[in-house]
Amino acid sequence: MPKYVMQGRYCENVLEKRAPFRQAHLDGLTAQKAAGTLMTIGPTKDLTQCFGIYEAEDEQTVRELVEADPYWQNGVWTEYNVYEWIQAV
């Protein structure tokens, strides 16, 4: 199955803005991981970007997961890109 990298950008004041949506966000990620779609995800240390690796049928599936996330729906993530990724090792 193809793998995809999602690169997203956080809003200003991310720690404050994400607080009301954090648990729903984490619950959704946990469900994606249990389903085998999400391999890993996390922020950069400076909390300006996030990166996730997905294993999915197609790019559209990844985009639907991102856009259903409370962080996207509530402006915590302000933009994102999805790239098909070839795992070399």
Side-chain angles (χ1 to χ4, degrees), residues 64-78:
E64 288 171 3
L65 291 170
V66 171
E67 292 178 13
D69 190 287
Y71 277 14
W72 178 255
Q73 294 179 346
N74 293 284
V76 178
W77 289 336
T78 59

Side-chain angles (χ1 to χ4, degrees), residues 19-57:
F21 315 109
R22 187 159 170 72
Q23 191 59 54
H25 167 72
L26 294 174
D27 291 347
L29 297 178
T30 299
Q32 291 173 26
K33 191 154 177 106
T37 306
L38 178 64
M39 299 172 71
T40 190
I41 194 167
T44 55
K45 186 174 180 179
D46 65 1
L47 295 175
T48 60
Q49 297 183 68
C50 67
F51 293 89
I53 300 175
Y54 295 80
E55 191 167 19
E57 291 290 328

Side-chain angles (χ1 to χ4, degrees), residues 10-24:
Y10 286 109
C11 66
E12 296 290 323
N13 301 319
V14 63
L15 293 177
E16 295 167 13
K17 185 149 186 178
R18 76 178 183 186
F21 315 109
R22 187 159 170 72
Q23 191 59 54

